[in-house]
Coordinates of all heavy atoms in Angstrom, one line a residue:
L4 N 10.0 22.1 4.3 CA 9.4 21.1 5.3 C 8.0 20.9 5.1 O 7.5 19.7 5.0 CB 9.7 21.6 6.7 CG 9.2 20.7 7.8 CD1 9.9 19.3 7.7 CD2 9.6 21.3 9.2
P5 N 7.1 21.9 5.0 CA 5.7 21.7 4.9 C 5.4 20.9 3.6 O 4.6 19.9 3.6 CB 5.0 23.1 4.9 CG 6.0 23.9 5.5 CD 7.4 23.4 5.2
G6 N 5.9 21.3 2.5 CA 5.7 20.6 1.2 C 6.1 19.2 1.3 O 5.4 18.3 0.8
A7 N 7.3 18.9 1.8 CA 7.8 17.6 1.9 C 6.9 16.7 2.8 O 6.6 15.6 2.5 CB 9.2 17.6 2.5
L8 N 6.5 17.2 3.9 CA 5.6 16.5 4.8 C 4.3 16.2 4.1 O 3.7 15.1 4.3 CB 5.4 17.2 6.1 CG 6.6 17.3 7.1 CD1 6.2 18.1 8.3 CD2 7.0 15.9 7.5
F9 N 3.7 17.1 3.4 CA 2.4 16.9 2.7 C 2.6 15.9 1.6 O 1.8 15.0 1.4 CB 1.9 18.2 2.1 CG 1.5 19.2 3.2 CD1 1.4 20.6 2.8 CD2 1.2 18.9 4.5 CE1 1.1 21.5 3.8 CE2 0.9 19.8 5.4 CZ 0.8 21.2 5.1
N10 N 3.7 15.9 0.9 CA 4.0 15.0 -0.1 C 4.2 13.5 0.5 O 3.6 12.6 0.0 CB 5.3 15.3 -0.9 CG 5.1 16.4 -1.9 OD1 4.0 16.5 -2.5 ND2 6.1 17.2 -2.2
V11 N 4.9 13.4 1.5 CA 5.2 12.1 2.1 C 3.9 11.6 2.7 O 3.6 10.4 2.6 CB 6.3 12.2 3.2 CG1 6.4 10.9 4.0 CG2 7.6 12.6 2.5
A12 N 3.1 12.4 3.4 CA 1.9 12.0 4.0 C 0.9 11.5 3.0 O 0.3 10.4 3.1 CB 1.2 13.1 4.8
G13 N 0.8 12.2 1.8 CA -0.1 11.8 0.8 C 0.3 10.5 0.1 O -0.5 9.6 -0.1
A14 N 1.6 10.4 -0.2 CA 2.1 9.2 -0.8 C 2.0 8.0 0.1 O 1.7 6.9 -0.3 CB 3.6 9.4 -1.2
T15 N 2.3 8.2 1.4 CA 2.2 7.1 2.3 C 0.8 6.6 2.5 O 0.5 5.4 2.5 CB 2.8 7.5 3.7 OG1 4.1 7.9 3.6 CG2 2.7 6.3 4.7
T16 N -0.2 7.5 2.6 CA -1.6 7.1 2.7 C -2.0 6.3 1.5 O -2.7 5.3 1.6 CB -2.5 8.4 2.8 OG1 -2.1 9.1 4.0 CG2 -3.9 8.0 2.9
G17 N -1.7 6.8 0.3 CA -2.0 6.0 -0.9 C -1.3 4.7 -1.0 O -2.0 3.7 -1.4
A18 N -0.1 4.6 -0.6 CA 0.6 3.3 -0.5 C 0.0 2.3 0.4 O -0.2 1.1 0.1 CB 2.1 3.5 -0.1
I19 N -0.5 2.8 1.6 CA -1.2 2.0 2.5 C -2.5 1.4 1.9 O -2.8 0.2 2.1 CB -1.4 2.7 3.8 CG1 -0.1 3.0 4.6 CG2 -2.4 2.0 4.7 CD1 -0.2 3.8 5.8
L20 N -3.2 2.3 1.3 CA -4.5 1.8 0.6 C -4.2 0.7 -0.4 O -5.0 -0.3 -0.4 CB -5.2 3.0 0.0 CG -5.7 4.1 1.0 CD1 -6.3 5.3 0.2 CD2 -6.8 3.5 1.9
L21 N -3.2 0.9 -1.2 CA -2.9 -0.1 -2.2 C -2.4 -1.4 -1.6 O -2.7 -2.5 -2.0 CB -1.8 0.5 -3.2 CG -1.4 -0.4 -4.3 CD1 -2.6 -0.8 -5.2 CD2 -0.3 0.3 -5.2
F22 N -1.6 -1.2 -0.5 CA -1.1 -2.4 0.3 C -2.2 -3.2 0.8 O -2.3 -4.4 0.7 CB -0.2 -1.8 1.4 CG 0.2 -2.8 2.4 CD1 1.4 -3.6 2.3 CD2 -0.5 -3.0 3.6 CE1 1.8 -4.5 3.2 CE2 -0.1 -4.0 4.5 CZ 1.1 -4.7 4.3
L23 N -3.2 -2.5 1.4 CA -4.4 -3.2 2.0 C -5.2 -3.9 0.9 O -5.7 -5.0 1.1 CB -5.2 -2.3 2.8 CG -4.5 -1.7 4.1 CD1 -5.4 -0.7 4.7 CD2 -4.2 -2.8 5.1
A24 N -5.4 -3.2 -0.2 CA -6.2 -3.8 -1.3 C -5.5 -5.0 -1.9 O -6.2 -6.0 -2.1 CB -6.4 -2.7 -2.4
A25 N -4.2 -5.0 -2.0 CA -3.5 -6.1 -2.5 C -3.5 -7.3 -1.6 O -3.7 -8.4 -1.9 CB -2.0 -5.7 -2.8
R26 N -3.3 -7.0 -0.3 CA -3.3 -8.1 0.7 C -4.7 -8.7 0.8 O -4.8 -9.9 0.9 CB -2.9 -7.5 2.1 CG -3.2 -8.5 3.2 CD -2.6 -8.0 4.5 NE -1.2 -8.1 4.5 CZ -0.4 -7.7 5.5 NH1 -0.9 -7.2 6.6 NH2 0.9 -7.8 5.4
W27 N -5.7 -7.9 0.8 CA -7.1 -8.5 0.9 C -7.5 -9.2 -0.4 O -8.2 -10.2 -0.3 CB -8.1 -7.3 1.2 CG -9.4 -7.8 1.7 CD1 -9.6 -8.6 2.9 CD2 -10.7 -7.6 1.2 NE1 -11.0 -8.8 3.0 CE2 -11.6 -8.2 2.0 CE3 -11.1 -6.9 0.0 CZ2 -13.0 -8.2 1.7 CZ3 -12.5 -6.9 -0.3 CH2 -13.4 -7.5 0.6
G28 N -7.2 -8.7 -1.5 CA -7.7 -9.2 -2.8 C -6.9 -10.3 -3.4 O -7.4 -11.2 -4.0
L29 N -5.6 -10.3 -3.1 CA -4.7 -11.3 -3.8 C -4.2 -12.3 -2.8 O -4.3 -13.5 -3.0 CB -3.6 -10.7 -4.5 CG -4.0 -9.8 -5.7 CD1 -2.8 -9.1 -6.2 CD2 -4.7 -10.5 -6.7
G30 N -3.6 -11.8 -1.7 CA -3.1 -12.7 -0.6 C -2.2 -13.8 -1.1 O -1.3 -13.7 -1.8
Q31 N -2.6 -15.0 -0.6 CA -1.7 -16.2 -0.7 C -1.6 -16.6 -2.2 O -0.6 -17.2 -2.6 CB -2.2 -17.3 0.1 CG -1.2 -18.5 0.2 CD 0.1 -18.1 0.8 OE1 0.2 -17.3 1.7 NE2 1.2 -18.6 0.2
A32 N -2.6 -16.4 -3.0 CA -2.6 -16.9 -4.3 C -1.5 -16.3 -5.2 O -0.7 -17.1 -5.8 CB -4.0 -16.6 -5.0
L33 N -1.3 -15.0 -5.1 CA -0.2 -14.4 -5.9 C 1.1 -14.6 -5.2 O 2.1 -14.8 -5.9 CB -0.5 -12.9 -6.0 CG 0.5 -12.1 -6.9 CD1 0.5 -12.8 -8.3 CD2 0.1 -10.7 -7.1
A34 N 1.1 -14.7 -3.9 CA 2.4 -15.0 -3.2 C 2.9 -16.3 -3.6 O 4.1 -16.5 -3.8 CB 2.2 -15.0 -1.7
T35 N 2.1 -17.3 -3.8 CA 2.5 -18.6 -4.3 C 3.1 -18.6 -5.7 O 4.1 -19.2 -6.0 CB 1.3 -19.6 -4.3 OG1 0.8 -19.7 -3.0 CG2 1.7 -21.0 -4.8
R36 N 2.5 -17.8 -6.6 CA 3.0 -17.6 -7.9 C 4.4 -16.9 -7.9 O 5.3 -17.3 -8.6 CB 2.1 -16.8 -8.8 CG 0.8 -17.5 -9.1 CD 0.0 -16.7 -10.1 NE -1.3 -17.3 -10.4 CZ -2.2 -16.8 -11.3 NH1 -1.9 -15.7 -11.9 NH2 -3.3 -17.5 -11.5
M37 N 4.5 -15.9 -7.0 CA 5.8 -15.2 -6.9 C 6.9 -16.2 -6.4 O 8.1 -16.1 -6.8 CB 5.7 -14.1 -5.9 CG 4.8 -12.9 -6.5 SD 4.5 -11.7 -5.2 CE 6.1 -11.1 -4.9

């Protein structure tokens, strides 16, 4: 349990940071290409 929670918490935090960077930096421009 502790190891799994630490793994999930770290991975989720990193994913959120990448999510925010992508949203702020690319936004609608890349969404249109997709």
Side-chain angles (χ1 to χ4, degrees):
L4 182 58
L8 288 178
F9 294 158
N10 280 330
V11 171
T15 301
T16 301
I19 289 173
L20 293 175
L21 183 56
F22 171 89
L23 293 175
R26 169 171 289 180
W27 195 61
L29 297 176
Q31 189 59 40
L33 187 55
T35 302
R36 291 187 181 183
M37 292 172 63

